[in-house]
Amino acid sequence: MDQFDDILNQDLDPTETREWVESLNAVINHDGTERAHFLLERMVDSTRRAGGYLPFDPTTEYLNTIPPHMEARSPGDAAIEWRIRSLIRWNALATVVRANRKPGDLGGHISSFASSATLYDVGFNHFWRAPSADHPGDLVFHQGHSAPGVYARSFLEGRLGEDQMDLFRMEVAGKGRGLSSYPHPYLMPDYWQVPTVSMGLGPIQAIYQAQFWKYLEHRGLIPKSDRKIWCFMGDGESDEPESLGAISLAGREGLDNLIFVINCNLQRLDGPVRGNGKIIQELEGVFRGAGWNAIKVVWGSYWDPLIARDTTGKLRQLMMETVDGEYQACKAFGGAYTREKFFGKYPETAALVANMSDDDIWRLNRGGHDPHKVYAAYHAAVNTTGMPTVILAKTVKGYGMGAAGESQNPAHNQKKMDADAVRAFRDRFNIPVPDDKLDDVPYYHPGKDSEEVQYMLERRRALGGSLPQRRRKADQSFKAPTLESFEQITKGTGDREISTTMALVRGMNLMLRDKELGPRLVPIVADEARTFGMEGMFRQIGIYAPFGQKYRPQDADQLLYYREDQKGQVLQEGISEAGGMSAWLAAGTSYSISNVAMLPFFIYYSMFGFQRIGDLCWAAGDMRARGFLIGGTSGRTTLNGEGLQHEDGHSHLLSGAIPNVVSYDPTFSYELAVILQDGTRRMMQEQEDVYYYITVMNENYAHPDLPKGSEEGIVKGMYLFKDGVKAKKNEPRVQLMGSGTILREVIAAAELLEKDFGVTSDIWSVPSFSEVRREGFDAERWNRLHPESPQRVPYVTGLLADRQGPAIAATDYVREFADQIRAFMPDGMRYTVLGTDGFGRSDTRANLRSHFEVDRYWIAHAALAALAKDGKVNAKDVSRAIKEYKLDMDKPNPMSV
């Protein structure tokens, strides 16, 4: 207890105190707890106005939030549910232990599900509704390490057979039937809905899914319902910044469709979470401070009589004083230890258990293992309105594993169990496996007609069907706009200069006009919508605000004023790229989770995308998300004033590593139009499980018309932008390639080469080096596997096969970006790559391009150097270029400065 508590305990007038308490109890009995709460708030307010210091305490006593007399009672059959839970525990253990007796050390986790089995069992039996004709279905974010327990339930339900259970973590050998280590929708597309490992990504995704459901309801795209999102996480997982970083959003927007269940087994992977403190108390304060309804499920029913007999308050005091490290030791070392080290601290608490045996003390259960306490908490959560709920359930890690891992630090790594440990587990949960079969750790199924299985199936029928289950496609597809509908950006701009960012926004506005597709667009920005030229959307479609706009905006008299609306279409998520990406994920998976296909556009500084939120980008691939990610102010030389932390030169390498991401770096507005149209066709019309990454720039320049017949090449990633004049035989010729803003430097370099050195250039626009690379390696693989069949020619090889001279590629990205296609250069064609290797910095665009050696002069020089190596020009020509173009031969390599 701190000093303030000591002062409060020095009661100056116990009689007066008793009278106040009796008066308060009378109010509660006559008018209810809400009236009592109101009076207490008025008293606190009066005290503070009088100058009294009343410190705010966001936590309550270390007791269950719901007192026994207010607990909703489960309508289920407790005995059958215990048997079901025991069978699931056994089969989950068998799944992991059997896998790890095979060669190869497959790994797996036992302890996490052992601690949370009751939390899942109550949800599956009584609360989690599957999508059906009568209900849109709830969404459950399962804690990743608990996957074996979910498989074990599906095994009893008949959804998985023994042969498939034995394919746990054997997805290659399983040939599509293997069970993934954790929830992975990409690998099990009919089963898992959301990936929850890496840790921390589940909670932030759950929050933005809940927000997006409200968004869909307010916009009239789905009917209002009582569907819920349940997110399971560990108490150690709360240390991840993504786990708690967005909880204030849920409180601020009153997301009462969201329920967090935190499995507080008091242990991280390798030891206690808050060994010197109390994680449940800490989390209660954090969530309550963020506007959540916090329900603590600390003690099981066996504690109720002890707490009721605690007339001195010493037991409650002891519960508050004891830190988590001590609670862990009590469960690890048994009843006698707990009697001495816990209850023995005070005579009053020792007396409370004097008539109990050591076994009785050891059986005092934690709340997360008591289905009655858990049911009451879940019931209160689903009936809470106006705010999200967090349930803090105290459990034991490795529950039921005894000496093999119960409440022990190494429990996370427990993957194998010896014969004695398996026997003890069987006996504790009364599993009917005979001794002579025990060494095999067999799965146990009581039969499809057994009381247990029929009970499970009946409960799931009442709740709409089996879970988990995933929808692969939405019922409704949307026809993509024709390319002709993008005429505003496929036509050249003449003398008018615009950026590709402006072209993108125009393209989005054209799509918004489509009566069918338009309402399905979801523009998303973390912040700086005006930077990206999106302010026109403020008035046109509004910014989503769940409670509407309650103020008159400062710029209300302007044409493009800041307009918030409950039916607004733009999601502006504040300065949080992780939040923006999570909102994008919610929209991009809406086709599966809500049967409502949406097309999100998340626009952000490209440097703060795949680099900063790469784990969420990877999860998007796993979730089979669909939509456009837009990397604004891309490249290392276009955002000229911002410097090292802002200038992106490598995001395309990161995006290209995700198999179902299609990446483009367009230069001209017509390229962007073709990409938008084709991406919309693939994602909204064909419902392909891909998403697009497009980099755009804030540099203004004139844009030409769409060249006739270039559409296919743009989509494939490379096309001939300009065919050089027909040169005489043996006259020097080069193949110049580029993308994004540096393609314009490539075009200018071709003019220099022709004017100053008589070199002819063919100019190639390569909107996607990444797509060209993928196609090339696909062809190369096919050729290796089909040596006697006609060999495929990689796309880029075919384009350059009949072209003369060396090839030079330059981009606003590191050299590795354009170097991806080196393997597919025609035999004998020299390939030189220029790029922006090194840290970014602030300066003018011209100076930056000179510094990184990607401007027109360096490109022309590289072309001449390659021609000299081919014997088409001499070294003096290269030296003349260095002199005429004022290239500093002694400047340091930009990679090293």
Side-chain angles (χ1 to χ4, degrees):
M1 287 186 158
D2 58 26
Q3 184 178 4
F4 185 73
D5 292 325
D6 291 337
I7 293 172
L8 289 181
N9 287 330
Q10 296 171 8
D11 195 338
L12 299 178
D13 190 342
T15 302
E16 182 184 32
T17 301
R18 185 168 57 253
E19 290 173 352
W20 275 91
V21 172
E22 290 173 351
S23 297
L24 186 63
N25 286 332
V27 171
I28 292 173
N29 293 331
H30 188 267
D31 296 320
T33 57
E34 290 187 4
R35 174 62 179 168
H37 182 266
F38 173 79
L39 292 175
L40 287 172
E41 288 291 333
R42 293 299 298 271
M43 292 166 63
V44 168
D45 184 61
S46 295
T47 304
R48 284 180 174 152
R49 289 179 180 275
Y53 171 64
L54 294 178
F56 169 70
D57 188 353
T59 62
T60 59
E61 283 190 295
Y62 200 61
L63 297 170
N64 294 344
T65 302
I66 304 173
H69 70 279
M70 295 185 68
E71 291 172 354
R73 301 304 295 174
S74 170
D77 186 316
I80 292 179
E81 289 185 9
W82 183 85
R83 296 204 301 271
I84 291 170
R85 192 158 54 251
S86 298
L87 294 177
I88 291 173
R89 287 182 184 278
W90 172 264
N91 287 316
L93 177 143
T95 301
V96 178
V97 172
R98 288 168 66 92
N100 282 283
R101 290 184 176 180
K102 300 174 185 175
D105 194 19
L106 291 170
H109 299 274
I110 302 174
S111 301
S112 293
F113 179 72
S115 68
S116 57
T118 302
L119 302 176
Y120 285 104
D121 190 56
V122 173
F124 274 116
N125 285 336
H126 300 289
F127 290 95
W128 301 338
R129 296 156 297 186
S132 66
D134 302 320
H135 196 273
D138 298 319
L139 177 61
V140 181
F141 285 74
H142 299 85
Q143 193 177 1
H145 292 162
S146 296
V150 183
Y151 295 140
R153 171 172 281 272
S154 292
F155 169 67
L156 291 182
E157 290 178 348
R159 300 178 66 195
L160 300 174
E162 285 192 20
D163 61 335
Q164 198 166 1
M165 293 290 281
D166 272 339
L167 292 172
F168 174 64
R169 291 196 169 194
M170 298 189 69
E171 293 161 285
V172 176
K175 297 181 179 179
R177 299 183 68 248
L179 302 182
S180 60
S181 53
Y182 307 121
H184 291 301
Y186 189 84
L187 300 171
M188 298 180 68
D190 298 310
Y191 192 85
W192 295 116
Q193 290 183 279
V194 285
T196 48
V197 175
S198 300
M199 287 190 286
L201 300 192
I204 192 170
Q205 287 186 57
I207 290 169
Y208 284 90
Q209 281 281 359
Q211 182 200 47
F212 194 71
W213 285 6
K214 295 286 188 180
Y215 169 93
L216 291 175
E217 289 179 359
H218 288 147
R219 293 192 54 219
L221 294 171
I222 62 172
K224 290 185 178 181
S225 72
D226 63 348
R227 68 193 301 214
K228 305 289 184 183
I229 292 172
W230 296 74
C231 178
F232 282 75
M233 61 182 284
D235 48 356
E237 189 177 356
S238 67
D239 290 339
E240 292 282 5
E242 295 91 348
S243 294
L244 304 182
I247 62 172
S248 60
L249 166 71
R252 183 171 66 246
E253 297 198 0
L255 299 180
D256 52 12
N257 56 350
L258 177 62
I259 300 167
F260 273 20
V261 181
I262 304 185
N263 176 24
C264 299
N265 57 36
L266 314 185
Q267 288 183 247
R268 292 196 188 100
L269 306 185
D270 297 317
V273 177
R274 296 288 185 273
N276 295 312
K278 303 169 87 64
I279 186 61
I280 288 178
Q281 297 299 95
E282 176 186 322
L283 292 176
E284 179 190 24
V286 169
F287 279 93
R288 287 186 68 201
W292 288 56
N293 172 38
I295 299 175
K296 293 193 295 190
V297 186
V298 183
W299 309 110
S301 299
Y302 295 149
W303 284 89
D304 288 345
L306 286 180
I307 295 171
R309 296 203 308 271
D310 179 33
T311 56
T312 66
K314 276 295 182 181
L315 177 59
R316 290 188 295 255
Q317 177 184 331
L318 177 58
M319 289 172 168
M320 284 296 292
E321 291 174 345
T322 305
V323 296
D324 285 353
E326 291 182 278
Y327 280 122
Q328 181 187 347
C330 286
K331 270 302 173 187
F333 298 136
Y337 178 93
T338 304
R339 180 191 300 276
E340 177 187 355
K341 301 296 184 180
F342 180 73
F343 289 107
K345 286 187 177 181
Y346 297 107
E348 296 90 340
T349 54
L352 285 175
V353 296
N355 295 326
M356 296 174 65
S357 69
D358 290 345
D359 286 343
D360 290 336
I361 292 174
W362 184 79
R363 278 193 290 268
L364 290 170
N365 55 340
R366 292 184 178 178
H369 299 299
D370 187 326
H372 305 294
K373 302 293 185 182
V374 173
Y375 181 92
Y378 284 9
H379 183 273
V382 298
N383 287 287
T384 296
T385 59
M387 62 196 311
T389 295
V390 60
I391 295 170
L392 302 168
K394 188 176 184 181
T395 63
V396 178
K397 192 162 190 176
Y399 180 82
M401 295 173 63
E406 186 161 344
S407 200
Q408 297 179 27
N409 286 343
H412 173 74
N413 292 320
Q414 193 71 45
K415 300 166 179 62
K416 300 179 181 180
M417 296 176 68
D418 61 28
D420 289 341
V422 171
R423 181 176 288 103
F425 192 95
R426 177 203 63 180
D427 294 344
R428 180 167 180 175
F429 294 106
N430 197 23
I431 308 299
V433 174
D435 287 345
D436 61 343
K437 301 290 185 183
L438 206 55
D439 286 345
D440 298 330
V441 196
Y443 301 111
Y444 180 78
H445 197 293
K448 65 179 182 179
D449 295 325
S450 66
E451 186 178 23
E452 294 87 352
V453 171
Q454 287 302 308
Y455 183 91
M456 292 175 69
L457 296 177
E458 185 280 325
R459 293 309 309 138
R460 290 315 311 163
R461 281 193 294 269
L463 292 167
S466 295
L467 286 176
Q469 63 168 280
R470 181 181 177 277
R471 180 186 292 106
R472 287 198 182 212
K473 292 187 176 183
D475 291 342
Q476 183 181 7
S477 297
F478 292 87
K479 187 173 178 59
T482 63
L483 189 57
E484 287 72 24
S485 65
F486 289 92
E487 185 178 4
Q488 282 190 21
I489 55 175
T490 58
K491 290 287 187 182
T493 60
D495 295 332
R496 191 161 42 89
E497 297 184 342
I498 66 169
S499 66
T500 46
T501 301
M502 187 180 298
L504 169 79
V505 173
R506 287 183 178 177
M508 291 173 61
N509 280 316
L510 292 171
M511 296 171 72
L512 285 167
R513 295 176 188 175
D514 188 298
K515 291 183 179 179
E516 295 295 321
L517 181 66
R520 303 301 175 118
L521 260 66
V522 186
I524 302 170
V525 285
D527 195 37
E528 297 201 70
R530 295 183 190 275
T531 297
F532 299 120
M534 297 174 62
E535 61 267 35
M537 293 183 180
F538 294 168
R539 182 171 181 179
Q540 179 187 353
I541 56 177
I543 300 165
Y544 172 69
F547 309 113
Q549 189 161 27
K550 299 180 179 180
Y551 64 96
R552 185 178 186 275
Q554 172 270 331
D555 56 356
D557 295 330
Q558 299 179 21
L559 177 64
L560 305 179
Y561 62 89
Y562 196 90
R563 183 174 73 87
E564 300 185 63
D565 193 312
Q566 190 178 57
K567 294 185 177 181
Q569 198 162 341
V570 177
L571 283 172
Q572 185 147 333
E573 299 295 0
I575 305 175
S576 171
E577 287 80 11
M581 185 64 188
S582 296
W584 183 91
L585 274 167
T589 56
S590 179
Y591 74 92
S592 175
I593 289 170
S594 297
N595 198 22
V596 178
M598 305 295 287
L599 188 62
F601 286 77
F602 177 29
I603 306 173
Y604 54 86
Y605 276 46
S606 63
M607 190 66 158
F608 304 148
F610 285 88
Q611 172 173 288
R612 186 165 186 162
I613 50 172
D615 212 359
L616 285 165
C617 296
W618 188 259
D622 191 351
M623 291 176 72
R624 298 172 177 258
R626 304 170 188 166
F628 291 99
L629 293 182
I630 308 297
T633 59
S634 67
R636 195 148 281 170
T637 70
T638 63
L639 188 61
N640 52 314
E642 293 288 350
L644 184 150
Q645 197 68 26
H646 288 65
E647 291 176 343
D648 162 38
H650 52 275
S651 64
H652 278 282
L653 295 182
L654 302 175
S655 68
I658 303 176
N660 48 357
V661 174
V662 185
S663 305
Y664 289 97
D665 183 38
T667 305
F668 298 117
S669 60
Y670 67 78
E671 293 177 341
L672 192 57
V674 171
I675 295 163
L676 288 175
Q677 194 277 335
D678 190 65
T680 303
R681 176 191 62 80
R682 292 181 68 181
M683 293 184 285
M684 296 295 284
Q685 185 171 312
E686 306 302 330
Q687 294 210 50
E688 290 186 45
D689 294 338
V690 296
Y691 71 88
Y692 277 57
Y693 175 53
I694 304 174
T695 44
V696 294
M697 297 153 284
N698 61 342
E699 184 176 2
N700 294 322
Y701 47 82
H703 295 248
D705 291 337
L706 170 67
K708 187 176 181 180
S710 64
E711 295 90 339
E712 182 181 2
I714 293 170
V715 171
K716 287 185 174 181
M718 180 172 171
Y719 67 98
L720 184 63
F721 176 77
K722 184 179 181 182
D723 201 348
V725 296
K726 191 169 185 179
K728 295 178 182 178
K729 190 176 183 180
N730 295 324
E731 282 191 341
R733 190 182 192 97
V734 292
Q735 308 301 311
L736 300 183
M737 297 184 286
S739 70
T741 189
I742 300 301
L743 176 61
R744 297 179 61 249
E745 294 296 322
V746 168
I747 296 168
E751 296 174 357
L752 291 175
L753 288 168
E754 175 68 28
K755 176 173 67 73
D756 297 335
F757 295 91
V759 175
T760 299
S761 303
D762 298 324
I763 303 174
W764 300 87
S765 176
V766 191
S768 183
F769 282 96
S770 300
E771 286 299 293
V772 172
R773 168 194 174 276
R774 286 179 177 175
E775 190 278 339
F777 278 113
D778 186 58
E780 183 264 350
R781 176 182 178 275
W782 192 93
N783 291 339
R784 281 189 287 109
L785 295 174
H786 301 83
E788 298 183 32
S789 299
Q791 299 289 278
R792 293 181 181 177
V793 178
Y795 177 63
V796 63
T797 309
L799 290 179
L800 297 175
D802 297 326
R803 299 282 168 170
Q804 298 176 10
I808 292 85
T811 73
D812 216 9
Y813 297 85
V814 295
R815 293 186 182 208
E816 191 178 350
F817 176 51
D819 205 55
Q820 295 180 100
I821 65 172
R822 181 180 294 277
F824 313 113
M825 289 294 109
D827 290 342
M829 180 175 283
R830 189 179 303 279
Y831 186 46
T832 302
V833 173
L834 304 179
T836 54
D837 296 72
F839 283 120
R841 57 202 64 210
S842 300
D843 213 308
T844 65
R845 292 188 181 111
N847 287 345
L848 290 174
R849 287 165 189 170
S850 175
H851 166 76
F852 285 112
E853 302 171 8
V854 293
D855 69 6
R856 63 197 66 183
Y857 304 109
W858 285 97
I859 296 169
H861 166 260
L864 291 167
L867 285 168
K869 288 185 177 181
D870 284 350
K872 298 298 182 181
V873 300
N874 57 51
K876 290 183 179 180
D877 292 316
V878 183
S879 297
R880 180 162 67 90
I882 292 173
K883 182 178 180 180
E884 290 189 9
Y885 299 151
K886 297 181 175 59
L887 304 181
D888 183 357
M889 293 184 294
D890 299 320
K891 70 187 287 287
N893 187 329
M895 180 68 182
S896 62
V897 294

